[in-house]
Amino acid sequence: MAKWTPKHEAPEPLEGPVVATITGGTIIWFVLFVVQLPFYGWFDDHGHTWWVWTCLAGGGLGLIGIWYVRKRDAAIKRAASQQPSDDDAKAPAAD
């Protein structure tokens, strides 16, 4: 049996507003948690309390995600600012 090998290179990863996306998702999880709280008795009667706690867990993990992507974004910007630009490389050296 032959090993599977890709026939083309993988595409470049898409970069977008990662911090805004994670923040928006976290807000949605917390809103869903708060909206379900008044109905906790119904969820408990029907054995669906995990729905409420899943929303809380999603919000909590989202907070960790916000922290992570903000640090990642800052590191990417810091690395980009430390790389010499093309104009600096073309400038003649001063003797």
Side-chain angles (χ1 to χ4, degrees), residues 10-16 72:
E12 291 293 320
L14 296 175
E15 288 292 331
R72 177 184 176 269

Side-chain angles (χ1 to χ4, degrees), residues 13-22 69 72-73 76-77:
L14 296 175
E15 288 292 331
V18 179
V19 176
T21 302
I22 301 301
V69 296
R72 177 184 176 269
D73 194 43
I76 290 171
K77 288 179 182 176

Side-chain angles (χ1 to χ4, degrees), residues 25-40 43 48-60:
T26 302
I27 290 169
I28 290 171
W29 279 115
F30 277 124
V31 167
L32 289 171
F33 171 72
V34 171
V35 167
Q36 289 179 355
L37 278 179
F39 305 102
Y40 187 82
F43 286 113
H48 296 302
T49 55
W50 65 271
W51 289 8
V52 177
W53 302 119
T54 298
C55 293
L56 183 61

Side-chain angles (χ1 to χ4, degrees), residues 55-81:
C55 293
L56 183 61
L61 290 172
L63 291 175
I64 295 170
I66 291 170
W67 172 80
Y68 178 81
V69 296
R70 288 186 66 191
K71 293 285 187 182
R72 177 184 176 269
D73 194 43
I76 290 171
K77 288 179 182 176
R78 189 171 47 250
S81 69

